Amino acid sequence: MLKEFREFAMKGNVVDLAVGLIIGAAFGAIVSSLVADVIMPVVGAVTGGIDFSNYFLPLSSKVTAGDLAEAKKQGAVLAWGHFLTLTINFFIVAFAMFLVVRVMNKLRRHEEAAPAPAKPTPEVELLTEIRDLLKKT
C-alpha cells in the first residue's frame, strides 16, 4: 500500500489533488458569498421580501413559537423553508455554472476551428480532372 501511495505521489496526482481542493474551497466561498449577498437579495426583492428560511411545520403539539430557532427548542419541527432556500440556491448556482461552461465551450470551439483545407497538389488536381472527364463520357 505504501508503494502504491508513493507511485501515486510521484505521478503528481497529490499536487493536483491539493490544488483542486484549494481552488474548490476558494470557489465555494466565492459562490456562497455571491448567492447570499448578491443574488438572494434580488430574489427577495422579486418575491416581495419573503424569507423562506424561517418557515417550518411543527411535528409536536408542544411547539407554539413562531420563530424557527425557538420552535426547535420546544420540540420537533420540519424546517421545510430552509430546505427550500438551499434548493433555490442550488438551482441558481447550477444555472450560473451552466452559463459559464456554455461560454467556455463556445470559446473553445472557436479556438479549435478546423483550418482551411490545404490546396491540393498538382498531381491531385490532374487526377481530379481525369476523373471528371471520365464521368462525362
Side-chain angles (χ1 to χ4, degrees):
M1 189 164 106
L2 183 63
K3 183 179 178 183
E4 290 176 13
F5 179 74
R6 182 180 296 154
E7 289 176 16
F8 177 77
M10 295 305 287
K11 290 180 182 176
N13 295 338
V14 172
V15 174
D16 292 342
L17 181 64
V19 169
L21 183 65
I22 292 168
I23 290 174
F27 183 73
I30 291 170
V31 168
S32 296
S33 175
L34 174 71
V35 169
D37 300 330
V38 177
I39 296 173
M40 286 312 284
V42 174
V43 171
V46 169
T47 59
I50 298 174
D51 182 16
F52 297 111
S53 62
N54 206 25
Y55 287 12
F56 64 93
L57 178 68
L59 298 177
S60 171
S61 59
K62 298 177 186 177
V63 178
T64 58
D67 183 48
L68 179 61
E70 291 296 321
K72 284 184 176 181
K73 292 177 185 175
Q74 293 178 354
V77 295
L78 182 66
W80 64 271
H82 184 66
F83 174 75
L84 181 63
T85 301
L86 292 177
T87 303
I88 291 170
N89 290 352
F90 168 77
F91 282 117
I92 290 170
V93 171
F95 182 69
M97 290 304 301
F98 167 75
L99 293 177
V100 167
V101 169
R102 186 174 167 197
V103 168
M104 290 176 67
N105 284 341
K106 282 187 178 182
L107 291 174
R108 185 176 298 147
R109 281 189 211 129
H110 290 298
E111 291 174 2
E112 294 176 358
K119 184 178 179 186
T121 62
E123 292 86 13
V124 172
E125 288 179 353
L126 180 62
L127 289 172
T128 304
E129 285 181 36
I130 293 171
R131 182 196 65 202
D132 293 343
L133 287 172
L134 288 174
K135 282 185 180 178
K136 288 182 181 177
T137 49

